[in-house]
Amino acid sequence: MADNKDQKQNQINIELDETVADGTYSNLAIINHSVSEFVIDFVNVMPGRPKSKVKSRIILTPQHAKRLLKALGDNVSRFEAAHGEIKDYEQPPIPMNFGPTGEA
């Protein structure tokens, strides 16, 4: 068991400024990958509007992408245990020429 000194050395001080804390709404994620990275573009698509912009882009190593997948799956499972199953409603297909293409 680690002592209190070891625990303090392993802590990371993470700051969250007000602009980032407000968050950015996204209802579409476009995921591309190369051999060395995963790129996730978060988009807000509005009904009746033919054009949307990427609101945020996150670039991850393959290892971090796998950790994110696991962490998101764990959180969805805990959410559903507390609030019931999340229904996945049928969505219209996104045209194949929608959004950026992935290259590294």
Side-chain angles (χ1 to χ4, degrees):
M1 185 167 147
D3 65 13
N4 197 15
K5 183 180 176 187
D6 289 340
Q7 289 176 351
K8 284 186 179 182
Q9 287 178 344
N10 291 330
Q11 290 181 350
I12 299 173
N13 183 12
I14 298 174
E15 295 181 5
L16 179 63
D17 70 38
E18 290 181 34
T19 305
V20 175
D22 286 342
T24 300
Y25 179 78
S26 171
N27 56 7
L28 174 68
I30 301 169
I31 304 171
N32 291 291
H33 67 274
S34 70
V35 69
S36 61
E37 61 196 15
F38 279 72
V39 178
I40 308 173
D41 289 329
F42 293 95
V43 183
N44 181 2
V45 178
M46 297 302 290
R49 294 187 124 175
K51 189 174 183 180
S52 297
K53 289 185 178 180
V54 172
K55 298 294 185 177
S56 183
R57 171 175 277 186
I58 304 296
I59 303 168
L60 306 163
T61 65
Q63 293 80 9
H64 282 110
K66 191 165 186 175
R67 288 184 200 135
L68 175 62
L69 175 66
K70 182 181 182 315
L72 191 55
D74 291 346
N75 276 270
V76 167
S77 294
R78 286 197 308 263
F79 178 93
E80 289 183 327
H83 304 285
E85 181 182 357
I86 299 169
K87 294 188 179 6
D88 190 10
Y89 297 104
E90 186 69 28
Q91 295 289 321
I94 297 169
M96 292 304 286
N97 63 349
F98 182 85
T101 58
E103 287 187 23

